[in-house]
């Protein structure tokens, strides 16, 4: 899936992102959520899965964008 196919919920115009290299939350066409963040080594996830860390403020921004 290409980034262009996702709806970006966070980081729009807040001045903290450069070249899309910051934590963000996206929504897919099917309604699922994709999270971009720093790789975390909190624990070893199952094969095919990964862990990322995002700031609490990014998650709150995504919730507001979704109207939850």
């Amino acid at each position: 899936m290409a980034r262009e196919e996702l709806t970006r919920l966070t980081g729009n115009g807040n001045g903290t992102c450069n070249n899309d290299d910051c934590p963000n939350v996206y929504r897919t066409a099917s309604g699922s959520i994709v999270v971009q963040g720093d790789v975390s080594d909190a624990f070893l996830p199952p094969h095919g899965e990964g862990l990322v860390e995002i700031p609490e403020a990014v998650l709150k921004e995504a919730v507001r964008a979704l109207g939850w």
Side-chain angles (χ1 to χ4, degrees):
M1 174 180 314
R3 185 182 300 200
E4 294 77 27
E5 298 175 63
L6 303 173
T7 300
R8 187 172 176 170
L9 301 175
T10 59
N12 294 314
N14 64 9
T16 60
C17 299
N18 297 315
N19 298 320
D20 295 325
D21 64 350
C22 57
N24 279 299
V25 178
Y26 301 87
R27 189 172 196 180
T28 67
S30 66
S32 62
I33 302 295
V34 175
V35 178
Q36 173 187 352
D38 294 327
V39 175
S40 173
D41 61 359
F43 64 89
L44 185 61
H47 178 73
E49 295 184 6
L51 303 176
V52 298
E53 292 184 37
I54 61 169
E56 182 178 323
V58 173
L59 185 57
K60 287 179 178 179
E61 184 180 355
V63 169
R64 281 192 299 274
L66 290 167
W68 294 352

